[in-house]
Amino acid sequence: MTFKSGRHFLQIPGPSNVPDRILHAIGQPTIDHRGPEFQKISKEVLLGLQRIFKTTGPVLIFPTSGTGAWEASLINTLSPGDKVLMFETGHFATLWANMARKFGLEVDFVPTNWRHGADPQIVLEKLKKDKGHLIKSVNIVHNETSTGVKSRISEIRKAIDAANHPALFMVDTISSLGSVDYCHEEWKVDVTISCSQKGLMLPPGLGFNAVSEKALAASRTNTFKRHFWDWNDMLKSNEIYLYPSTPCTNLLFGLRESIKILEEEGLDNVFARHDRFAEATRRAVKAWGLEVLCEEPLEYSSVLTTVMMPEGKGADNLRKVILDNFNMSLGNGLSKVADKVFRIGHLGDLSDLTLIGTLAGVEMGLELAKVDHTKGGVAAAMEYLIEKAI
């Protein structure tokens, strides 16, 4: 049987489900990307993104994935041979570090067991020891999509300040922006990296750099060669709400609608909804007798929950059973935790009923895959959602 009734449940931690309003916006006829109508849309988007990032500084938009936004952050601010402090909080933090090495940067990569975020105390100690200020940047993944661990960005900012160190501060919010509270300007972040397909509820294709004056100053003196990724070319075109190369016009239509949706609900309400869904999911996991990968409650992600499998049971088989029987996709384990965990995405366009359907699919899948567990996870989540009903 190839036909499956009902909609597919896409419960991976991104790309996330795209709301109908955004799909309709993207589906509008393409317009002249150098004309006045597009300039008006572009202005709305660029100013709206400042509100989402919580900054009064520029937010640059590139037609790319988060990987391209990573690259833009590095080559606009640093120079070959510069030293960068990074933390091995998971698969994506590792990829960012590998990229930095390919560009000839020296990476001080602090290891972790993938169950904790970046440690502010280690940041403080490393920067205090760096008397010659060889470390040019501290680069942190805010929400590690492979592990469901959130680093404490405000505390890391305090550690940098306490060390009285001039290093730039760069933060990857690829899976947290629009789902978890984030304050680019208040936390004095110099470059915030993000993209379109997670909390902003768009298809992949847009990458963002929110930049500080300090980062812009660095971009005028660093020695990496770049053309497509050049901030200064982008900023010059953005002065009249245009772009130096062809933008993703229809995705920008969708981005304008995304910003409207987030602001209609209210950012604080969006964040509270994600917190509520995450706690309901963790209660379900606990009731099943399974374990969440993240060990520190202060670092729990509200974007996704990464669940550890019992010894000897493969996560990929469970995911296959759930996909085959209930038409639902869950996130797989990546690199070090491949086949050891599965990831439940609960971000973006999600309601109480969607979450309960997701958790029901997991509970039925555990039964069919003969994974040792205790029934009642869905009931525990329902009880919490009712208790915290809005």
Side-chain angles (χ1 to χ4, degrees), residues 73-354:
S73 72
L74 298 177
I75 65 174
N76 277 283
T77 56
L78 302 171
S79 298
D82 281 352
K83 188 173 182 179
V84 180
L85 177 61
M86 307 178 88
F87 285 75
E88 187 203 359
T89 51
H91 177 74
F92 293 99
T94 303
L95 291 181
W96 198 12
N98 290 341
M99 174 186 284
R101 293 189 186 101
K102 286 183 179 179
F103 282 117
L105 298 169
E106 179 187 346
V107 180
D108 183 351
F109 200 41
V110 180
T112 78
N113 64 357
W114 286 36
R115 304 188 71 178
H116 294 89
D119 188 335
Q121 184 61 34
I122 293 178
V123 173
L124 177 62
E125 292 168 2
K126 292 270 188 181
L127 295 183
K128 276 190 170 182
K129 289 178 183 177
D130 183 33
K131 303 298 184 183
H133 296 164
L134 297 179
I135 296 173
K136 302 301 181 183
S137 180
V138 178
N139 292 30
I140 305 294
V141 174
H142 184 207
N143 187 84
E144 175 55 67
T145 322
S146 65
T147 62
V149 175
K150 181 183 68 176
S151 287
R152 292 165 280 165
I153 300 304
S154 63
E155 292 183 36
I156 294 170
R157 176 72 259 177
K158 290 174 184 176
I160 297 171
D161 289 346
N164 194 28
H165 199 285
L168 293 166
F169 189 24
M170 301 193 203
V171 180
D172 167 345
T173 66
I174 286 170
S175 63
S176 57
L177 188 76
S179 299
V180 177
D181 194 14
Y182 182 79
C183 307
H184 172 89
E185 201 160 278
E186 179 185 337
W187 295 342
K188 294 185 287 184
V189 179
D190 293 300
V191 187
T192 298
I193 297 98
S194 202
C195 64
S196 55
Q197 73 267 24
K198 309 277 189 173
L200 295 180
M201 304 172 288
L202 290 157
L206 298 178
F208 310 107
N209 282 175
V211 298
S212 71
E213 282 300 322
K214 183 177 175 180
L216 288 174
S219 75
R220 299 184 189 107
T221 59
N222 80 312
T223 59
F224 271 122
K225 301 296 183 184
R226 67 262 184 190
H227 175 71
F228 181 77
W229 303 115
D230 196 295
W231 285 351
N232 295 298
D233 289 347
M234 182 68 78
L235 287 168
K236 186 176 180 180
S237 294
N238 283 176
E239 287 177 2
I240 55 172
Y241 304 109
L242 295 178
Y243 301 83
S245 58
T246 306
C248 297
T249 51
N250 287 57
L251 282 180
L252 292 176
F253 298 164
L255 179 56
R256 179 174 64 166
E257 196 65 29
S258 166
I259 294 167
K260 288 179 181 178
I261 290 171
L262 290 171
E263 294 188 328
E264 284 172 13
E265 184 175 357
L267 287 178
D268 289 344
N269 294 327
V270 171
F271 304 147
R273 173 168 56 84
H274 281 76
D275 291 344
R276 181 168 165 266
F277 289 162
E279 178 59 25
T281 302
R282 289 190 294 269
R283 292 192 180 204
V285 174
K286 182 178 180 180
W288 291 325
L290 301 178
E291 190 176 355
V292 172
L293 183 64
C294 181
E295 288 186 314
E296 171 53 65
L298 289 175
E299 296 174 340
Y300 283 153
S301 170
S302 290
V303 172
L304 74 146
T305 299
T306 300
V307 185
M308 300 174 67
M309 291 292 288
E311 192 68 33
K313 291 291 184 178
D316 290 344
N317 178 64
L318 172 65
R319 291 173 51 253
K320 183 179 186 302
V321 167
I322 291 171
L323 177 62
D324 290 347
N325 287 275
F326 308 117
N327 197 20
M328 181 169 75
S329 295
L330 297 174
N332 63 316
L334 298 169
S335 54
K336 284 188 177 182
V337 292
D339 203 31
K340 297 177 182 178
V341 304
F342 63 93
R343 296 175 293 152
I344 304 172
H346 36 71
L347 72 159
D349 187 32
L350 197 70
S351 69
D352 290 45
L353 294 182
T354 311

